[in-house]
Amino acid sequence: MQLPKFVIADNSDFPDDIFIIHLDFPRFLINLKDDEVEFLEDLEGEDETELEAEMEHLITLAGEFYDKEMKLFEE
């Protein structure tokens, strides 16, 4: 099965929060309410500088994904 790069999630236990989940490496979720990032796997041993740069890029892509999805939803 081919998975999408990002998915949007919500949860009734957190009614004011919207989450973007990144399903490629490194797997993580972002809470758009406060921009908190939670990694879903151990990143020990990864190059920290490279990971920071990649995360900055992926967070930008996650925001663009959310904006695109919301625009399609409104149409």
Side-chain angles (χ1 to χ4, degrees):
M1 171 189 338
Q2 186 174 357
L3 297 175
K5 186 173 193 127
F6 295 104
V7 294
I8 298 173
D10 64 2
N11 186 299
S12 60
D13 291 335
F14 305 93
D16 297 327
D17 298 8
I18 298 173
F19 302 95
I20 301 294
I21 304 170
H22 181 253
L23 296 171
D24 289 344
F25 182 83
R27 292 179 306 149
F28 61 89
L29 50 90
I30 303 171
N31 185 338
L32 294 180
K33 178 178 144 189
D34 57 13
D35 292 332
E36 185 175 347
V37 174
E38 181 74 28
F39 288 96
L40 302 175
E41 53 203 341
D42 182 15
L43 298 176
E44 195 170 310
E46 295 295 321
D47 181 319
E48 196 170 310
T49 305
E50 185 178 319
L51 184 61
E52 272 185 39
E54 180 67 13
M55 285 304 300
E56 188 174 314
H57 176 68
L58 289 172
I59 289 170
T60 299
L61 290 178
E64 291 170 359
F65 165 76
Y66 177 77
D67 292 342
K68 179 187 77 153
E69 292 296 308
M70 290 301 100
K71 185 176 182 180
L72 290 172
F73 181 74
E74 291 171 358
E75 293 176 356

